[in-house]
Amino acid sequence: MLKELEILVLRNNSLSGELPPHWKDLQQLLVLDFTENNISGNVPSSMRHLGSLRILALRQNHLEGELPSFFRNYINLQSLDLGGNKFSGMLPAWIGESLSSLLRLSLRSNLFHGDIPQQLCLLSHLRILDLAHNDFFGAIPQCLGNLSSYYKEKNLSYTDDQMLLVSEGREYLYGSSIIDLVYYVDLSSNNLSGEIPDSITNISKLAILNLSMNHLTGRIPEKIGNLHMLESLDLSVNELYGPIPESLSSLNFLSHLNLSFNNLSGKFQMGINFKHLMTLLSTEDKIAVFIIDKIVHLLKKFKSERS
């Protein structure tokens, strides 16, 4: 029964309990989507038989435990979305070593910890990497720029695919027609330290980069302007210092820039593109900028009067 089933989509329901224990007869399954339900427990071991999977989406449930080691057998997997669960443990190196076809990897809002393994850089097809809101620590792998090394147009054939991405502090649900065009790295809200690797500026098609809410130090890479397609850059709430690179002013598509709560210094050269950036702010944002500017002016005035 159902041995020829290729697509199973049950997202956005009120399904509860654990995932079914019997999957052996569904070895032709290409798409499995249980997104946004109330499913709990561990991933059943019988899912090891789903070696034909291209898309596995279990986002926004209550699943727990470590990533099953049999996931490494999903060698055809192109999209893995496990965000918004309670998965824990360290990120295994086999994700990079075995899942070489991955285009999208989202593990955001789980309980993962430890270093981000260097082997993740082997995913040369990867367009979306979302590890935000976990407890990863240590340095960002220097080889992260390898994610740009293979740009062959390789899209998923399933037209009802969806993925949740966060940009400018807002959640957006992208459909398959858009998601295949997005290049996205979000490592925000972890405990990452060390410097931002210069190699990240090699991901030339990157549209969204969020490294906020970590403990990153050092300077913003001088070649950040190489990310010509960048639309959103958030490096806020870190320990970055030094000047803001002039190359930022060459980012013609940049509409969201947040460098707040760092130790940056020097003059900020607002070129024509930054003036364009200001025109894209909402009315509320412009008011907030105006108020902050006035507060800073008053504080400087108060300080000069006291001295």
Side-chain angles (χ1 to χ4, degrees):
M1 184 178 179
L2 300 180
K3 287 187 177 181
E4 302 302 316
L5 191 66
E6 294 186 348
I7 297 175
L8 178 57
V9 178
L10 295 170
R11 63 172 174 245
N12 292 92
N13 282 289
S14 299
L15 301 175
S16 59
E18 299 186 354
L19 287 168
H22 304 296
W23 294 90
K24 188 175 181 180
D25 291 335
L26 296 177
Q27 297 185 33
Q28 302 302 312
L29 204 61
L30 302 177
V31 177
L32 178 60
D33 188 344
F34 276 93
T35 295
E36 294 196 30
N37 281 283
N38 292 303
I39 298 170
S40 57
N42 292 2
V43 177
S45 60
S46 62
M47 286 182 67
R48 69 182 183 276
H49 297 290
L50 304 182
S52 297
L53 276 180
R54 301 291 193 276
I55 297 173
L56 177 58
L58 303 175
R59 186 182 76 246
Q60 293 300 118
N61 281 286
H62 306 286
L63 295 165
E64 57 188 32
E66 296 187 359
L67 289 185
S69 59
F70 59 78
F71 275 13
R72 73 174 71 197
N73 298 324
Y74 295 171
I75 58 174
N76 298 308
L77 199 65
Q78 296 181 347
S79 181
L80 178 60
D81 188 354
L82 305 178
N85 281 286
K86 300 176 183 177
F87 287 109
S88 58
M90 299 182 70
L91 193 59
W94 53 254
I95 287 185
E97 295 169 341
S98 301
L99 305 184
S100 59
S101 295
L102 271 183
L103 300 176
R104 314 171 196 155
L105 175 62
S106 177
L107 304 176
R108 71 178 294 118
S109 300
N110 277 285
L111 303 173
F112 291 109
H113 67 273
D115 292 319
I116 298 175
Q118 297 282 334
Q119 291 83 351
L120 211 61
C121 301
L122 297 174
L123 299 174
S124 57
H125 295 281
L126 201 66
R127 299 173 184 174
I128 292 174
L129 175 62
D130 191 349
L131 304 179
H133 292 273
N134 282 284
D135 193 23
F136 291 112
F137 51 76
I140 298 173
Q142 289 288 335
C143 58
L144 199 65
N146 292 355
L147 300 182
S148 69
S149 63
Y150 197 77
Y151 277 143
K152 181 179 178 181
E153 292 302 323
K154 186 177 181 181
N155 299 327
L156 298 174
S157 58
Y158 176 53
T159 57
D160 196 31
D161 191 22
Q162 295 181 344
M163 181 166 275
L164 185 73
L165 300 180
V166 177
S167 177
E168 304 174 23
R170 301 186 181 116
E171 293 184 345
Y172 297 93
L173 191 62
Y174 287 87
S176 57
S177 60
I178 300 297
I179 201 70
D180 285 329
L181 304 175
V182 175
Y183 290 79
Y184 173 104
V185 173
D186 191 345
L187 306 180
S188 64
S189 298
N190 281 286
N191 284 301
L192 298 170
S193 57
E195 298 186 357
I196 300 173
D198 289 332
S199 67
I200 207 166
T201 63
N202 294 334
I203 312 176
S204 59
K205 289 192 176 184
L206 193 61
I208 299 170
L209 176 61
N210 190 347
L211 304 178
S212 66
M213 301 288 288
N214 281 290
H215 305 286
L216 300 173
T217 57
R219 298 171 180 264
I220 299 172
E222 285 292 332
K223 295 182 179 179
I224 195 75
N226 289 354
L227 301 176
H228 300 297
M229 306 301 292
L230 202 62
E231 299 175 18
S232 177
L233 175 63
D234 193 343
L235 305 178
S236 63
V237 195
N238 279 289
E239 299 165 27
L240 302 171
Y241 59 81
I244 298 172
E246 292 184 11
S247 64
L248 267 176
S249 64
S250 67
L251 298 177
N252 294 320
F253 297 104
L254 193 65
S255 62
H256 176 82
L257 174 64
N258 191 349
L259 306 178
S260 61
F261 296 98
N262 279 287
N263 298 310
L264 300 171
S265 59
K267 293 183 178 181
F268 177 60
Q269 302 295 330
M270 183 175 283
I272 184 169
N273 294 321
F274 283 116
K275 292 176 182 178
H276 172 66
L277 177 71
M278 185 63 183
T279 65
L280 296 173
L281 293 173
S282 66
T283 302
E284 292 81 0
D285 289 332
K286 289 179 181 177
I287 293 172
V289 170
F290 176 77
I291 292 173
I292 291 171
D293 183 64
K294 287 297 183 184
I295 291 173
V296 170
H297 176 74
L298 290 172
L299 286 173
K300 287 181 178 179
K301 183 179 179 181
F302 176 71
K303 184 176 179 180
S304 63
E305 287 176 350
R306 290 195 64 181
S307 59

